[in-house]
Amino acid sequence: MNKGYMTVEASIVVPVVLFGVFMCLFGLMLIYEKGYVLGNEYEALYTIPFSHIRDNSVDAYLSNKNYTYGVVLGEASVETGYSWHKAKCQGVLKLYGDSEINADREIDVLVERLRRWQFYDDIAEDQGHE
């Protein structure tokens, strides 16, 4: 009786399944490329030598790094900046559209906050407050 069911399956179900598989592959490629560039940005931000921090040449150090050496399929560009103890990497990945990839880090601020906290804690002890 119903001898046309294989034709319906082959013409509707198989293309839908193949489309889903290809969309998953495209999504995985996009996630891989974004993750690789973001990893390169964070690696550069957290491996800044202390000599560059002391000399206030962090921006020059970050701009000389290559953040896109692992990008295989798309094109990526990264701009860097450093001001007020905050280093930033702002990237754009061009793969199936434009995707922003941003990373930042505060540099040498924790020590200042810790010293301030210790200073205020000492004042509170001197005044008899607990």
Side-chain angles (χ1 to χ4, degrees):
M1 268 188 344
N2 296 323
K3 295 185 180 187
Y5 73 94
M6 289 299 284
T7 306
V8 171
E9 181 179 331
S11 64
I12 295 174
V13 175
V14 172
V16 169
V17 170
L18 287 176
F19 180 75
V21 168
F22 283 119
M23 290 304 292
C24 288
L25 288 175
F26 289 142
L28 288 173
M29 286 188 289
L30 178 65
I31 290 171
Y32 170 77
E33 298 285 336
K34 284 178 70 171
Y36 202 86
V37 173
L38 186 64
N40 290 339
E41 288 178 357
Y42 275 118
E43 180 184 1
L45 288 173
Y46 282 92
T47 58
I48 299 171
F50 289 121
S51 60
H52 290 282
I53 295 171
R54 275 184 262 134
D55 297 340
N56 203 14
S57 62
V58 174
D59 196 19
Y61 173 79
L62 290 175
S63 63
N64 289 332
K65 290 289 206 175
N66 183 10
Y67 301 95
T68 62
Y69 63 87
V71 176
V72 178
L73 298 174
E75 295 179 12
S77 62
V78 177
E79 295 179 8
T80 60
Y82 177 72
S83 64
W84 295 97
H85 299 284
K86 191 166 189 172
K88 297 179 184 179
C89 292
Q90 298 174 336
V92 175
L93 176 67
K94 294 181 181 181
L95 177 70
Y96 314 121
D98 292 349
S99 300
E100 292 185 10
I101 307 167
N102 300 325
D104 58 359
R105 174 190 174 203
E106 288 186 349
I107 298 173
D108 209 21
V109 178
L110 182 62
V111 175
E112 300 292 330
R113 291 179 182 162
L114 181 61
R115 287 184 186 149
R116 191 174 8 198
W117 174 77
Q118 289 172 340
F119 176 72
Y120 289 132
D121 189 45
D122 290 341
I123 292 174
E125 288 176 5
D126 292 341
Q127 295 177 355
H129 300 289
E130 294 184 33

